[in-house]
Amino acid sequence: MPYGPHTSADRQQMLTALGLDSVDQLFADIPAELRASPLDLPEPEPELELAARLRGLAGRNRTELVSFLGAGVYRHWSPPAVDQLLLRGEWYTAYTPYQPEVSQGTLQSIYEYESLLAELVDLDVVSASHYDGAAATAEAALMTCRATRRERVLVSRGVHPHYRGTLRTYFGGGLELDEIPLVAEGEAAGTTDLAALEAMLADADRPVAGVIAANPDFLGLLEPMPRIGELAHAAGALFVAVIEPVSLAVLAPPGAYGADIAAGEGQPLGISPQYGGPYLGILASTDALVRQIPGRLVGMTTDLDGQRAFVMTLRAREQDIRRDKAASNICTNQALLALAASIYLATIGPHGLRDVAAGGASRAGELAASLAGIGVERLHPGPYLNEFAVRVRDARTVHRRLIERGFLAGLVLADAEPDDASLAEGLLLCTTEITTSGDIARFVAALDEVLKGQSPAGVDGAAGAAGATAATGAATDGAKMPAAGAAR
């Protein structure tokens, strides 16, 4: 239906029917001091002029940069079928399927999403409709409190800082949230400090409801998830694994190492970065916690004629009539993005997803080796998948100068974790299957050039020149996908 704004005559007719003189009278119950003042909007413009203004604003975006940025949002190739199928009007106009009789298509799409994700994370139950990975993680933390009737949650500092910030917001009403430090040095540097975790769990006066850790963590490192889970369970706490879904094609899924709940960001599954959202929050659990999980669960059954049918089941009805008993009051309908993830997974298949994960890992190894050739070393020695931090003096300036040369040099860690002195000179770099060897060679050469321009002490000239030559020599087409076993 095309949009047609109400005319002045339309509005007057409605006001007359209501017995009112003005629209303002509709808001008479709201105290004047609480009402918003009129918006200071510019005068309307002709469409051609407005389009030119918008093109000018859009032109300020740098879309041509070669990107090595990850940090929770990842660039992947998406089969064209994803966007084409999402364009069907039945999907992008669908809302919450309250009435199964008229919502079988939407219900089935959610059911397929939940089934695919349950297989990926190796857990029993997956819910739909969470804003993003941060919100899903916060909901997971609240689940642990409800299930254990405890009020304290521990979260590793290896969990994304945005997720930890969202947790602090959720826990502002009296629940306790403590952060587990990371190991400062040695082979385990940058991962969760297990000794500190064990000590925190041993506090009998402050029992822990849940322990939250990410794999890979925010710094790209692989965490000892089985051991974290063992420590949590030994203390009577639940274990929440924060996951990156593509990595599960080559890493053990949460169910395999005993996680009770999995949460994460579904954006890598066929959803473009799109300026920060909307995205898709993944939330899964064991059967034992099915009554605690918020969102929408869809079950498959049969109707009176014996035909396959789908229906909402075990929902806390947070948008219906029992809001005071709801598991969450801020879930929203992300079914369109869940459908995108379903189409992506079904189209690319398990072997394709493994190739995507392996491709990013292979390129990351190539990038790390090329950077070492110019004297740029990793901040942490431990294993990683497709993302890692490097030490670069005056990282913000280097980052800015590389943008001038056409490269987005990842994330300046001092901006993400300003209170962590160990990350003050860190850049977090990421590769995916769409990163080419040529991209890596040009980026390393540009970084070498920028570092040599630093004073008083840049990178050693001879080493830098040798590294740049090696990196340039390594440049290939980069289109061939590496073998599936590369990530192992």
Side-chain angles (χ1 to χ4, degrees):
M1 181 175 69
Y3 171 71
H6 297 307
T7 65
S8 297
D10 293 333
R11 290 192 291 272
Q12 187 56 52
Q13 184 177 358
M14 287 186 279
L15 289 171
T16 300
L18 292 169
L20 302 175
D21 296 324
S22 70
V23 173
D24 290 339
Q25 289 179 268
L26 292 169
F27 305 98
D29 291 340
I30 302 175
E33 63 272 17
L34 298 180
R35 299 180 205 173
S37 58
L39 298 177
D40 184 19
L41 297 175
E43 292 297 316
E45 294 182 0
E47 187 171 347
L48 287 176
E49 294 180 19
L50 180 60
R53 180 192 291 270
L54 294 175
R55 283 194 298 270
L57 291 172
R60 292 162 59 183
N61 293 316
R62 297 290 301 274
T63 59
E64 84 290 356
L65 298 175
V66 177
S67 177
F68 291 87
L69 177 63
V73 176
Y74 301 94
R75 301 173 306 125
H76 291 288
W77 177 80
S78 182
V82 176
D83 283 343
Q84 285 302 309
L85 290 174
L86 291 181
L87 286 172
R88 292 185 62 91
E90 306 98 301
W91 297 124
Y92 64 75
T93 59
Y95 188 58
T96 299
Y98 292 116
Q99 295 175 279
E101 301 87 351
V102 294
S103 302
Q104 285 297 294
T106 299
L107 286 166
Q108 182 177 353
S109 74
I110 296 175
Y111 177 84
E112 300 294 352
Y113 162 78
E114 293 175 350
S115 300
L116 287 164
L117 265 293
E119 183 176 351
L120 189 63
V121 301
D122 192 25
L123 287 170
D124 304 314
V125 181
V126 176
S127 75
S129 300
H130 298 281
Y131 281 106
D132 54 22
T137 301
E139 295 288 0
L142 294 181
M143 285 176 65
T144 68
C145 294
R146 290 194 299 270
T148 63
R149 299 185 184 279
R150 298 176 177 180
E151 298 182 343
R152 183 184 180 212
V153 170
L154 306 181
V155 58
S156 168
R157 284 190 64 85
V159 172
H160 198 296
H162 291 174
Y163 291 26
R164 298 189 338 254
T166 301
L167 280 165
R168 285 191 291 272
T169 299
Y170 270 63
F171 274 51
L175 299 176
E176 294 183 70
L177 183 70
D178 293 327
E179 294 190 348
I180 312 161
L182 303 181
V183 177
E185 56 187 21
E187 289 299 313
T191 62
T192 304
D193 189 329
L194 297 181
L197 169 60
E198 194 165 7
M200 296 170 81
L201 287 168
D203 187 350
D205 295 329
R206 302 170 65 213
V208 173
V211 176
I212 306 174
N215 192 49
D217 70 9
F218 174 62
L219 299 172
L221 300 167
L222 303 186
E223 290 271 13
M225 299 298 271
R227 182 56 181 157
I228 295 173
E230 290 171 4
L231 292 173
H233 291 150
L238 297 175
F239 178 32
V240 178
V242 178
I243 53 94
E244 191 285 303
V246 170
S247 73
L248 298 182
V250 292
L251 299 179
Y257 50 74
D260 302 287
I261 305 171
E265 176 55 67
Q267 176 274 326
L269 302 178
I271 301 168
S272 66
Q274 53 196 24
Y275 300 97
Y279 290 152
L280 171 66
I282 297 170
L283 186 59
S285 76
T286 60
D287 267 336
L289 297 169
V290 66
R291 295 284 182 176
Q292 302 297 338
I293 196 167
R296 291 155 185 80
L297 303 179
V298 175
M300 183 171 66
T301 184
T302 55
D303 63 14
L304 293 176
D305 298 321
Q307 301 295 313
R308 184 177 70 161
F310 301 91
V311 65
M312 290 272 227
T313 183
L314 295 177
R315 59 178 174 163
R317 304 186 69 171
E318 65 276 1
Q319 292 196 3
D320 289 301
I321 60 174
R322 296 174 57 203
R323 296 188 178 190
D324 58 320
K325 298 183 183 299
S328 171
N329 289 121
I330 64 166
C331 291
T332 190
N333 188 24
Q334 300 291 80
L336 185 67
L337 297 171
L339 177 64
S342 301
I343 299 170
Y344 175 84
L345 288 171
T347 304
I348 205 164
H351 298 293
L353 191 66
R354 181 181 172 86
D355 284 345
V356 170
S362 177
R363 293 293 183 237
E366 182 181 341
L367 175 61
S370 297
L371 289 171
I374 63 169
V376 176
E377 301 293 343
R378 292 175 55 213
L379 270 177
H380 312 102
Y384 60 94
L385 188 63
N386 69 318
E387 197 164 13
F388 56 87
V390 295
R391 177 174 286 105
V392 176
R393 186 166 59 86
D394 197 3
R396 286 194 184 92
T397 299
V398 169
H399 190 273
R400 185 177 66 252
R401 290 177 178 171
L402 283 168
I403 287 178
E404 295 168 356
R405 288 163 171 78
F407 298 94
L408 184 53
L411 179 72
V412 177
L413 284 172
D415 293 336
E417 295 280 27
D419 298 328
D420 191 337
S422 68
L423 303 178
E425 295 186 338
L427 283 178
L428 184 64
L429 303 175
C430 175
T431 60
T432 67
E433 83 284 2
I434 66 175
T435 307
T436 68
S437 292
D439 293 337
I440 292 171
R442 292 189 296 274
F443 171 70
V444 172
L447 177 58
D448 189 32
E449 178 184 320
V450 170
L451 294 178
K452 285 178 179 177
Q454 287 183 332
S455 59
V459 176
D460 178 73
T469 302
T472 304
T476 63
D477 175 48
K480 184 178 179 181
M481 187 67 69
R488 298 291 189 190

